[in-house]
Amino acid sequence: MKFKAFLTDNGINLLEKRILPALDKMGKICHLYFTRDHAFFLHNLLNADGVQSVAQFKQQSLFHDYRISSQNDDKIAFCIDLSLLHRALRSILAIYVESRDFNSSGLQIKLVKKLPPHSTQPMPFLTFEAKGHKSAVVQDVPISKPLSRADVQELQLALESAQEMPATLVRAPELNSLQNFVDRMKHVGDVMGVSISKCGDLHLQISTTLITLGAEFRKLMVLGERADGVVGMRV
């Protein structure tokens, strides 16, 4: 199992300033999943805890000299702490940008196994490395043991299921009013039912043994299949 690539300037900028800060808000731990053509950041696809999130990138948008090989059809997946990943990237960038010793080949990212201090068992790491003429800078990010063939297949099936678009979607209402309702309902219960209709109606409902409360947002823009006579615009 091997993976290594160089981050492009665009990839560095996307990861440092946009992708990692945004994904960290979705959850601290995610699956990082590499295939021949794509890199995925996946939240909660193998469990029902929290919001499911799929961030997919063509490998050319983040990397160059991209090399991956495994006995699982060149697919590699593992769990990683996004805050540690972001911290390691910022740390090595601070040194890389300030030093003139480093050549223009860029920052390399790769999977390695190393023996941590006070340990007798090698552990997997995702490593950033910047090489210069006289020195090199390395930042290691601990990761989980790479997923087995069966677990990668389960993750792939969950990914395909998560990417299936419903036949009908509605455009979200004005976000302030939606957030205000959700914030008020936090004090009533932990689980909220959400449903939409082909007429463009969004229904939110929360129930307990004592009370049932709900809200309805009507005549929203309908995307996809819609009821006869419904036009795709707010009225």
Side-chain angles (χ1 to χ4, degrees), residues 157-217:
L157 292 174
L159 173 61
E160 293 172 1
S161 176
Q163 290 179 314
E164 292 179 358
M165 295 295 289
T168 299
L169 299 171
V170 297
R171 177 172 291 178
E174 199 276 322
L175 292 181
N176 284 336
S177 59
L178 182 61
Q179 183 174 354
N180 288 338
F181 175 77
V182 173
D183 288 341
R184 292 198 304 271
M185 293 304 101
K186 287 180 182 178
H187 305 290
V188 179
D190 297 326
V191 179
M192 178 179 292
V194 180
S195 63
I196 63 173
S197 75
K198 293 184 179 181
C199 296
D201 298 335
L202 169 65
H203 303 273
L204 305 176
Q205 181 174 297
I206 191 165
S207 298
T208 69
T209 56
L210 300 176
I211 190 173
T212 296
L213 295 174
E216 181 182 54
F217 298 86

Side-chain angles (χ1 to χ4, degrees), residues 43-55:
H43 280 95
N44 300 317
L45 259 64
L46 297 183
N47 58 64
D49 297 332
V51 176
Q52 289 190 341
S53 167
V54 176

Side-chain angles (χ1 to χ4, degrees), residues 48-113:
D49 297 332
V51 176
Q52 289 190 341
S53 167
V54 176
Q56 173 181 322
F57 304 91
K58 289 184 177 180
Q59 55 98 344
Q60 298 93 333
S61 66
L62 300 177
F63 308 107
H64 68 88
D65 197 14
Y66 182 90
R67 302 180 185 182
I68 185 171
S69 64
S70 76
Q71 295 181 347
N72 188 27
D73 196 27
D74 296 338
K75 297 175 182 177
I76 300 173
F78 48 85
C79 288
I80 192 166
D81 185 317
L82 289 172
S83 61
L84 294 181
L85 179 62
H86 196 195
R87 186 186 309 165
L89 178 59
R90 285 182 298 180
S91 178
I92 199 169
L93 281 176
I95 301 172
Y96 175 76
V97 171
E98 292 177 2
S99 176
R100 296 182 179 180
D101 178 52
F102 297 105
N103 56 39
S104 59
S105 61
L107 296 180
Q108 188 179 54
I109 182 172
K110 58 185 178 180
L111 285 177
V112 300
K113 268 193 172 183

Side-chain angles (χ1 to χ4, degrees), residues 109-126:
I109 182 172
K110 58 185 178 180
L111 285 177
V112 300
K113 268 193 172 183
K114 293 185 176 181
L115 193 65
H118 314 297
S119 176
T120 59
Q121 294 292 330
M123 302 292 291
F125 293 89
L126 187 66

